[in-house]
Amino acid sequence: MAKKAHLTNEHEPRLYRVVADKIQRLIEDEGITAGERLPSERDLAGALNVSRASLREAILALELGGVVEVRGGSGVYLCAAKVEEDIPEVGPGPFEVLSARRMIESEIAAIAARVATDSAIDAILKAVLAMEREHANYASNEQADREFHLSIVRATGNSALVGTMEYLWNQRGRMWNRLKEHFQTEELRQLTLTDHRNILEAIAAHDPAAARKAMRAHLERVTRTFSRG
């Protein structure tokens, strides 16, 4: 009988976990103690030879594991050099999900621009209006944001793509929420509304190239904002 295949992540930990381990080793090597501030993100990224995005995911994982505390405008502080339990496995990192979405969702927007019916476009518009109306309400705004992106994929008429996007959206878990807590700004929220309007207009105009470009620009900007802070 053939041996059962093992899940990849049993043997290949996610990159943010690898980077988190490197940070903990650096903490030990540098003799950083509880309550002390870690080096800046720029210095840590250089010392560990990793991208700022990978470093930021690792810090979020360490924060969720109770190892560090992120203080806005001040830096990252050590809570405890080690924790008894492993850093929690919280699924794909936020930038991993954003990378997948850039590849997939840009083409989804182009398809929607080609085939969307009037009623499908109305559903996308309804989500945009709800996001604008619920701008100050985080939970309602998040729901409207989700509905906007899912309305676009539903407009393609492809149920497999709908399932793919629902999966990707559902990966916006604890790390994503913590990332938004730390780095979401009013400017980013306003730019997101503008981006969504641009995407809607391109789809309503049945312009696949413009829809693809608008969706990619939106997701690239979110990635830049959250990776640079």
Side-chain angles (χ1 to χ4, degrees):
M1 181 181 294
K3 291 181 71 176
K4 185 180 292 186
H6 291 287
L7 293 175
T8 301
N9 65 5
E10 289 182 6
H11 303 290
E12 299 178 12
R14 298 189 187 280
L15 179 58
Y16 64 77
R17 293 176 66 97
V18 174
V19 178
D21 287 342
K22 289 183 177 182
I23 294 172
Q24 289 194 283
R25 286 197 295 272
L26 182 143
I27 287 169
E28 293 177 358
D29 292 344
E30 297 294 326
I32 299 172
T33 60
E36 291 186 337
R37 186 165 65 87
L38 274 61
S40 69
E41 284 191 356
R42 183 186 300 275
D43 290 343
L44 278 175
L48 301 177
N49 193 29
V50 298
S51 70
R52 290 285 290 277
S54 296
L55 179 73
R56 189 155 286 181
E57 287 182 338
I59 289 173
L60 291 171
L62 288 170
E63 184 180 24
L64 290 172
V67 178
V68 301
E69 178 188 359
V70 179
R71 301 177 189 172
S74 180
V76 180
Y77 290 79
L78 182 65
C79 296
K82 285 283 187 182
V83 288
E84 294 299 320
E85 299 179 1
D86 289 338
I87 301 303
E89 179 68 62
V90 289
F95 297 106
E96 191 177 357
V97 174
L98 281 168
S99 177
R101 287 182 61 194
R102 282 198 307 276
M103 290 186 288
I104 296 169
E105 208 166 349
S106 299
E107 291 307 312
I108 285 173
I111 296 170
R114 284 196 297 270
V115 304
T117 62
D118 289 346
S119 61
I121 293 170
D122 286 343
I124 301 169
L125 172 60
K126 182 179 178 181
V128 170
L129 294 174
M131 198 169 179
E132 292 174 345
R133 185 174 61 252
E134 302 295 340
H135 180 71
N137 185 316
Y138 179 81
S140 298
N141 186 273
E142 277 286 293
Q143 181 58 35
D145 191 8
R146 180 182 189 276
E147 187 60 26
F148 170 78
H149 288 277
L150 291 182
S151 292
I152 292 172
V153 69
R154 291 187 198 113
T156 69
N158 187 316
S159 61
L161 287 176
V162 173
T164 298
M165 277 307 304
E166 287 178 339
Y167 167 79
L168 287 172
W169 193 272
N170 290 339
Q171 299 312 299
R172 290 162 55 115
R174 289 190 295 161
M175 283 180 67
W176 174 267
N177 291 333
R178 191 58 61 90
L179 183 67
K180 288 191 73 173
E181 285 176 15
H182 290 317
F183 303 107
Q184 176 76 287
T185 64
E186 177 60 25
E187 180 184 16
L188 177 59
R189 284 191 287 269
Q190 291 292 345
L191 288 171
T192 295
L193 293 176
T194 300
D195 287 352
H196 283 192
R197 276 285 180 180
N198 291 339
I199 295 165
L200 167 64
E201 289 172 6
I203 293 173
H206 297 288
D207 187 336
R212 181 187 295 111
K213 182 179 179 181
M215 182 64 78
R216 178 172 289 276
H218 168 54
L219 294 171
E220 285 178 346
R221 185 184 52 71
V222 172
T223 301
R224 285 195 307 272
T225 300
F226 283 166
S227 61
R228 295 175 186 174

